[in-house]
Amino acid sequence: MKIYEFQAHKIFSKMGIPSPRGEVAKTAEEVKQIAEKLGRPVAVKAQVLVGGRGKAGGIKLAPNPEEAYRVAEKILNFKLKGVLVKRVLVQEALSIKKEYYLGVTIDRAKKRVVVMVSPSGGIDIEEVAKISPEKIFKLRIDPLLGFKSYEANELALALNKDKNLVKGIANILFGLYRTFDEMDCSLAEINPLVVTEEGSLFALDAKIIFDDNALWRHPEINDLRDLDVEDPLELRAKEARISYVRLEGNIGCIVNGAGLAMATMDLVKHYGAEPANFLDVGGGASSEQVGKALDIVLSDKNVKAVLVNIFGGITRCDIVADGLIQALSKREMNLPLIIRLTGTNEEEGRKRLKNVKGLFLAATMDEAAKKVMEVVKR
Amino acid sequence: MSILVDKNTHVLVQGITGREGSFHTQQMLEYGTKVVAGVTPGKGGEKVEGVPVYNTVKEAVRDAGANTSIIYVPARFATEAIYEAADAGIKLIVCIAEGIPTLDMVKACYYVKLKGSRLIGPNCAGVISPGKTKIGIMPGSIHKEGNLGIVSRSGTLTYEVVYNLTKNNFGQSTSVSIGGDPIIGCHFIDILELFEEDSETKAIVLIGEIGGTDEEEAAKFISSKMKKPVVALIAGKTAPPGKRMGHAGAIISGGTGTAEEKIKTFQKFSIPVAESPLQIVDLVSSVLDERG
């Protein structure tokens, strides 16, 4: 789960990480007032959950409150990378001497938490990794010992030898690690951490992504969720314990299992159509779950045909077929429905579906994907 | 031969009295798996499907001779169950649970290794050696004894592939579902290494998906360390970046972990990649023909 920059700054400040003074605004008038209060040049920063907002024009500097008002008018209520900007963060602008990258994340291959620093801050860290990997210093954390102060010290020294700054950087690294560890993050990042002309340290940007699997033990994080920007269908699916991701295409997909769902979408695309969604109904594929999945997929107005691909494993195909029939009998289906049912007892399953009106039965995934393409073209 | 498990695998079911645990205990017994014990704290002395239930894993090891454990307890309690199994000297731990916090798995994987045990999963379907034993939730009936090793990050996609292979008379030596989470006990490489050494396995099917770099590591390993042929299937070509596709580990982040990248790596090392689950059958058929 992602949160906004201003929310991440608040968390960081609790962990002893200093941020520039600033406040959140929803209107240009508020922006002006905050700029007046700060009494200095400000940065007006769009609050969105997508990356690369600086390059897309979502961050603007303003020397005075009037200019702040003007730039805010050009950011607020405009779309940035497809997302409506509802809030901006107005921060005092700093005189920057140096910019560093600090980040904590998971190294999947090594199965460790990794703390990373780089003297090349302020730019996309993936770019740094590609162009000059030697400028990234990584430290993998011992899972039982945790992050040690000498390690923080070593990493800080890799950035700056100035003894007045090393301690400050090490402390910020510690705060960042604590945030990551105590709040179950999958990413905690400061990019950039700046050294000002006056020699102070500030987290100019703040980014936190939480591990969805651990949200249950952090109920306070749920309050940070912005329900307005989440896809209503994705929210509805989540309540029904269905994994659903809306995409751009027009073939609704209903599949059991995440891997098979992805493979089904790939095949739809392979035959020239575009999937409208990823959907995993979960284990069992009961009639109730399939019914809910159908409702969700059909609520997407882009959908022109539905492809159901179910592997009946422990749940036998005849039972899955009964479930499908039950789910369909309760709904009005005006769109073509292609069903592919495979696995244990598949003949019996198919026999039961044969007499259902408006259904196309396919024997293989390939046949189903081709069929759905045909139907949509028609 | 087979890898990880065989007829001498004596299975302990952690969480045996739960709905999932008892159902799959019955399914495993039906397949012929030697389920020798179950553990549910506070329910020692009971029986599930005729299998004795113990209060602790240590008792199950001492009194019933369990050497492998399968964990059906819910995600919140699953890491504790992994620790208990490793601490009691269980050598192979299979964890089915989905939704374990990533940081818990970082610690659990480390501890399991420290104790000299091996962990499969979490968020996996388990391990099956057709005709010998099944330690997992996969449907036994779609499998068939044979010479193909299967290793996969997925569940139903693996069944789909196995089903097609069986229908075309390609049996399996062992099928291992390693799990769909970001942090898992065994990576592709760990399993490929075992298949390479297994006399029964003639070729391997690798089923990968978006997220992480496990497939890329596997491709390098296959080309430098393996003599046996491997064919692959990678799911998620249509997945957009930044969206979790069901599995916690199936996410493209920061431009890495895309299916394109993985497929390209396999092709670079001349490892055949299938366009669809069905095409795996043709690829397997042709690599086996080449080797005679």
Side-chain angles (χ1 to χ4, degrees):
Chain A
M1 178 188 146
K2 290 179 183 174
I3 57 170
Y4 291 110
E5 179 201 358
F6 74 91
Q7 296 172 318
H9 275 300
K10 270 187 202 152
I11 291 172
F12 281 170
S13 98
K14 276 187 209 148
M15 294 289 184
I17 300 171
S19 300
R21 290 183 302 145
E23 275 177 56
V24 179
K26 284 183 167 176
T27 64
E29 189 50 46
E30 281 172 31
V31 170
K32 191 178 158 198
Q33 284 167 14
I34 295 165
E36 273 163 3
K37 205 157 75 182
L38 290 171
R40 289 183 50 119
V42 294
V44 180
K45 303 161 88 181
Q47 297 299 290
V48 284
L49 297 177
V50 289
R53 97 199 130 145
K55 270 186 211 156
I59 300 175
K60 291 265 191 288
L61 288 171
N64 53 54
E66 290 69 35
E67 187 61 19
Y69 183 94
R70 267 206 299 280
V71 298
E73 271 193 315
K74 284 181 195 145
I75 297 176
L76 276 165
N77 301 315
F78 278 90
K79 279 203 170 174
L80 192 74
K81 301 188 94 177
V83 186
L84 188 70
V85 181
K86 294 187 304 175
R87 295 186 202 85
V88 289
L89 173 63
V90 188
Q91 264 181 350
E92 67 173 320
L94 303 169
S95 49
I96 296 165
K97 196 167 152 198
K98 282 201 179 84
E99 297 181 82
Y100 300 129
Y101 171 91
L102 311 181
V104 185
T105 188
I106 299 272
D107 182 337
R108 290 168 63 151
K110 296 279 192 292
K111 304 178 202 179
R112 290 280 192 283
V113 172
V114 57
V115 180
M116 293 186 291
V117 301
S118 171
S120 301
I123 46 172
D124 193 355
I125 196 65
E126 276 99 28
E127 284 295 305
V128 182
K130 245 183 245 164
I131 301 158
S132 39
E134 75 286 352
K135 285 194 178 152
I136 300 177
F137 301 91
K138 285 186 188 179
L139 181 88
R140 292 187 186 90
I141 306 302
D142 185 296
L144 302 185
L145 292 180
F147 192 34
K148 311 305 284 179
S149 57
Y150 74 89
E151 293 175 321
N153 196 43
E154 279 172 11
L155 285 172
L157 277 166
L159 294 178
N160 200 309
K161 303 274 184 253
D162 182 345
K163 67 175 192 300
N164 295 319
L165 288 172
V166 168
K167 195 161 192 291
I169 297 172
N171 281 339
I172 290 171
L173 274 170
F174 247 103
L176 194 63
Y177 178 80
R178 265 188 61 204
T179 308
F180 184 90
D181 188 55
E182 290 173 14
M183 301 190 77
D184 275 297
C185 299
S186 51
L187 177 74
E189 188 180 78
I190 303 172
N191 189 22
L193 174 78
V194 299
V195 185
T196 62
E197 293 292 348
E198 299 80 28
S200 309
L201 293 161
F202 289 102
L204 203 58
D205 195 4
K207 189 171 177 184
I208 293 176
I209 303 176
F210 298 109
D211 174 11
D212 291 340
N213 281 355
L215 288 177
W216 55 271
R217 59 183 173 203
H218 302 283
E220 77 283 4
I221 293 173
N222 248 317
D223 300 337
L224 302 176
R225 201 180 276 278
D226 183 0
L227 293 174
D228 293 347
V229 298
E230 293 194 33
D231 188 297
L233 281 183
E234 291 184 13
L235 283 175
R236 223 170 95 196
K238 203 177 282 171
E239 271 164 34
R241 306 186 74 89
I242 288 172
S243 288
Y244 171 85
V245 177
R246 197 208 286 247
L247 301 169
E248 307 284 309
N250 57 11
I251 310 294
C253 299
I254 296 175
V255 189
N256 67 331
L260 189 59
M262 280 188 273
T264 306
M265 291 156 58
D266 291 351
L267 210 57
V268 165
K269 171 108 179 173
H270 179 71
Y271 285 111
E274 290 285 339
N277 63 275
F278 164 93
L279 191 152
D280 170 11
V281 287
S286 67
S287 70
E288 205 194 342
Q289 281 303 90
V290 174
K292 283 180 190 163
L294 259 175
D295 289 341
I296 288 164
V297 166
L298 295 174
S299 302
D300 176 356
K301 295 297 163 227
N302 293 332
V303 170
K304 295 280 175 285
V306 179
L307 169 55
V308 180
N309 185 16
I310 303 281
F311 193 97
I314 298 272
T315 314
R316 300 186 331 250
C317 285
D318 46 338
I319 295 182
V320 176
D322 288 343
L324 275 169
I325 293 166
Q326 215 185 326
L328 287 172
S329 68
K330 288 184 192 145
R331 282 160 193 85
E332 207 162 310
M333 268 295 290
N334 304 317
L335 297 177
L337 184 62
I338 289 92
I339 294 185
R340 189 280 183 138
L341 189 57
T342 300
T344 320
N345 279 16
E346 65 175 47
E347 283 80 16
E348 184 55 36
R350 246 182 262 148
K351 212 190 278 170
R352 293 185 191 191
L353 287 172
K354 223 173 177 169
N355 301 321
V356 183
K357 264 197 297 184
L359 270 188
F360 293 98
L361 278 180
T364 65
M365 268 174 79
D366 288 73
E367 195 192 319
K370 272 186 220 166
K371 187 90 208 167
V372 87
M373 177 68 193
E374 254 176 60
V375 171
V376 176
K377 263 190 174 169
R378 230 182 267 159
Chain B
M1 280 271 289
S2 51
I3 68 162
L4 297 167
V5 297
D6 57 27
K7 278 200 175 310
N8 297 318
T9 303
H10 288 177
V11 180
L12 152 72
V13 177
Q14 286 177 266
I16 194 167
T17 53
R19 193 167 57 94
E20 294 282 303
S22 58
F23 173 72
H24 286 290
T25 297
Q26 176 250 320
Q27 292 276 317
M28 289 192 289
L29 285 168
E30 206 171 274
Y31 194 75
T33 305
K34 293 195 175 96
V35 182
V36 297
V39 165
T40 299
K43 300 213 170 159
E46 291 181 15
K47 282 200 169 182
V48 172
E49 302 285 334
V51 176
V53 181
Y54 297 87
N55 282 316
T56 68
V57 177
K58 283 200 179 93
E59 283 172 3
V61 170
R62 188 190 62 208
D63 298 347
N67 56 21
T68 293
S69 168
I70 181 156
I71 296 174
Y72 286 110
V73 306
R76 290 181 195 201
F77 312 104
T79 26
E80 187 78 16
I82 294 172
Y83 287 129
E84 190 185 351
D87 195 27
I90 294 281
K91 287 297 159 213
L92 179 68
I93 304 163
V94 179
C95 184
I96 305 297
E98 175 175 4
I100 300 178
T102 309
L103 289 180
D104 291 3
M105 279 319 299
V106 169
K107 287 199 177 77
C109 283
Y110 186 82
Y111 187 76
V112 165
K113 202 174 163 198
L114 209 65
K115 288 282 170 178
S117 302
R118 189 190 282 276
L119 172 70
I120 303 286
N123 192 9
C124 77
V127 185
I128 182 168
S129 184
K132 300 189 182 90
T133 189
K134 166 181 124 152
I135 298 151
I137 57 173
M138 65 288 278
S141 59
I142 60 167
H143 296 80
K144 173 184 155 71
E145 281 176 71
N147 306 112
L148 289 176
I150 316 278
V151 60
S152 170
R153 276 170 66 187
S154 164
T156 45
L157 180 56
T158 318
Y159 310 163
E160 171 84 34
V161 169
V162 165
Y163 184 75
N164 288 328
L165 288 168
T166 296
K167 261 210 312 208
N168 287 281
N169 248 335
F170 293 106
Q172 308 90 40
S173 55
T174 309
S175 177
V176 186
S177 161
I178 57 175
D181 276 359
I183 302 287
I184 47 177
C186 281
H187 288 178
F188 282 129
I189 292 181
D190 304 309
I191 305 302
L192 288 171
E193 202 172 17
L194 299 175
F195 277 135
E196 179 70 6
E197 287 161 14
D198 175 41
S199 60
E200 197 188 357
T201 305
K202 296 251 182 333
I204 297 112
V205 177
L206 181 152
I207 304 165
E209 64 190 28
I210 55 160
T213 53
D214 210 11
E215 287 79 4
E216 285 87 335
E217 304 290 327
K220 277 179 223 155
F221 180 83
I222 292 163
S223 97
S224 61
K225 302 271 166 60
M226 290 181 73
K227 291 200 177 70
K228 292 179 186 174
V230 179
V231 302
L233 174 69
I234 309 291
K237 275 183 277 193
T238 40
K243 287 277 189 180
R244 166 180 169 169
M245 305 304 267
H247 292 156
I251 183 162
I252 298 167
S253 54
T256 63
T258 64
E260 281 73 19
E261 220 169 301
K262 291 172 193 293
I263 292 168
K264 224 191 277 167
T265 312
F266 276 90
Q267 285 166 343
K268 192 173 97 191
F269 291 109
S270 304
I271 303 159
V273 182
E275 288 281 352
S276 75
L278 198 54
Q279 211 203 342
I280 281 283
V281 178
D282 300 335
L283 295 185
V284 163
S285 169
S286 72
V287 295
L288 285 177
D289 279 352
E290 272 170 40
R291 308 278 167 138

